[in-house]
Structure formats: structure tokens, C-alpha cells
Amino acid sequence: AQSVSQHNHHVILSEAASLELGCNYSYGGTVNLFWYVQYPGQHLQLLLKYFSGDPLVKGIKGFEAEFIKSKFSFNLRKPSVQWSDTAEYFCAVRGGADGLTFGKGTHLIIQP
Amino acid sequence: NAGVTQTPKFQVLKTGQSMTLQCAQDMNHEYMSWYRQDPGMGLRLIHYSVGAGITDQGEVPNGYNVSRSTTEDFPLRLLSAAPSQTSVYFCASSYNRVTGYTFGSGTRLTVV
């Protein structure tokens, strides 16, 4: 069975700070990896995804993530966060079975 | 193009009652799935489908039934509601295994 671990459950940053959210997964085969964002009271929106090729993927709103196969990691980064980035962030993996396996999420608060 | 539509948005049930959460998509997506979201738990996969007539269990299937008679619809049935099923339920669909899932806006269910 596959699993996803997100290291930080709550992160508080000031505007313009750099962001890195950790995500590790466990699955021995080929995976597709995703980061989703959930703004307060809203449904999940896809930030970015990796399925093959360049391990550095760029998504919407200035986010990017790097897939490091040897570390089973897919960390999310943003060079300079904004107040509007306040949200819950979920890492997810799609492995052998269909459907997504999610991490427990990281609640990000950006202070103005 | 409405995307993924879930109804109802809110529902209160009494213990032991049954109900069906509706999910419909108009994007001709083969893959559909149901998740429940609980505080501190992330999203957990209940059931998924890879096409009409094909369904399978996810991580937390007990107490839920699904069927997929058409490509567009993927209803989730609660057979006998329990307070432990109080949650926010999300339906999602995707075109294939390497694309991200598109999520509906969710159904907030309370079982009293």
C-alpha cells in the first residue's frame, strides 16, 4: 500500500518569505505525484503534478516542486509567499491502484 | 461545462438513516473517486471507479456503497448512517492516470 507523509502540519511565515513544504511517499513502483491547495471553505485545486520527465515541475501561482526519486520526496517551494497563499496544502500520490492517497495536509498561514 | 457537481451541499441525517450523495461530471472522464475529509486526517479514499461498471474499494469503504452505471454519474450511498460518518465528502474525476483529479465543491454531512 502507498502512503504519504507531510512533515509540517502548521507553518507560519511572513509575506515575502520563502516556502518549502516537505512531502515523502512510500511506494515501490511508478508514481504520479500531486500538490493540491484548499483555500478556506473551498474545494481542492490542483497546484502542480509530476508523472515523468523533468523532475522540477512548475505549477500555478508561482509554485514549483522537485521530485527526488532516491529520497521518495516531492517538496513544494515558492520563493516569495503572499498573504493570499494562506491555505491548506496537500501532497498526494497515485500509485498502483487508482484514486489518490493524500498526506494529512499542511496549514499555511501568511502574516502580512 | 460545469465540471464536477455534487449535491446536496449540506445534509443532516439521523443515525440509521440512509441517503445517497450525488456526483456528476460532464467532462467525459473515465476515472472517478470519493473521499472524505476529516480534521487532521487529510482526505481518505472511500471508493473509486475506472469506468462505467467498474468500481473498487479505497482506504475506508465500510458503510458506503457505490455503483457506476454511466460515465457521468458516480453516486455514494450511506446504508445506515452513523455519527462516525460525519465529514465533508468530495467527489473527483480525471481523464486518465497521469492527469490530476478535478474536485467537486463537497457535501458537508452531519449525522446526529
Side-chain angles (χ1 to χ4, degrees):
Chain A
Q2 59 219 28
S3 65
V4 177
S5 175
Q6 292 184 239
H7 313 305
N8 316 99
H9 297 299
H10 297 277
V11 174
I12 301 174
L13 294 173
S14 298
E15 275 192 309
S18 63
L19 170 71
E20 181 161 2
L21 300 182
C23 172
N24 285 90
Y25 68 93
S26 72
Y27 183 71
T30 302
V31 293
N32 304 135
L33 295 158
F34 306 87
W35 274 97
Y36 282 86
V37 61
Q38 185 178 33
Y39 298 103
Q42 296 189 25
H43 61 283
L44 277 75
Q45 299 174 40
L46 180 65
L47 273 180
L48 47 79
K49 65 182 188 290
Y50 171 82
F51 59 93
S52 68
D54 189 344
L56 184 63
V57 292
K58 296 190 183 299
I60 62 172
K61 303 177 188 286
F63 286 91
E64 65 179 32
E66 184 176 13
F67 170 53
I68 302 179
K69 188 175 181 179
S70 61
K71 295 185 177 180
F72 297 89
S73 71
F74 190 55
N75 292 353
L76 181 71
R77 301 195 291 248
K78 186 172 184 178
S80 176
V81 294
Q82 301 171 313
W83 177 80
S84 58
D85 292 325
T86 294
E88 190 96 20
Y89 292 81
F90 295 96
C91 181
V93 63
R94 190 176 194 170
D98 207 85
L100 297 174
T101 298
F102 283 87
K104 294 185 177 181
T106 296
H107 187 202
L108 175 65
I109 296 174
I110 306 301
Q111 296 177 330
Chain B
N1 190 332
V4 179
T5 302
Q6 290 185 239
T7 56
K9 294 192 183 304
F10 302 93
Q11 183 71 49
V12 178
L13 286 180
K14 293 183 178 179
T15 297
Q17 286 185 316
S18 63
M19 80 159 294
T20 299
L21 307 185
Q22 301 292 343
C23 175
Q25 53 90 11
D26 60 358
M27 299 173 284
N28 202 32
H29 286 175
E30 290 292 332
Y31 297 81
M32 297 186 74
S33 51
W34 276 101
Y35 303 83
R36 58 176 291 171
Q37 183 178 26
D38 302 292
M41 299 294 293
L43 284 85
R44 292 179 290 171
L45 179 65
I46 304 171
H47 285 285
Y48 64 93
S49 169
V50 298
I54 307 170
T55 64
D56 207 343
Q57 296 181 349
E59 180 184 355
V60 289
N62 292 341
Y64 307 95
N65 264 1
V66 292
S67 61
R68 185 99 179 268
S69 56
T70 67
T71 299
E72 294 77 21
D73 300 297
F74 191 43
L76 178 73
R77 297 182 188 85
L78 280 70
L79 308 174
S80 177
S84 61
Q85 293 178 304
T86 293
S87 187
V88 180
Y89 291 85
F90 288 99
C91 177
S93 72
S94 75
Y95 181 69
N96 58 32
R97 284 188 57 82
V98 299
T99 58
Y101 271 95
T102 299
F103 281 79
S105 58
T107 295
R108 184 174 294 274
L109 175 68
T110 302
V111 182
V112 298

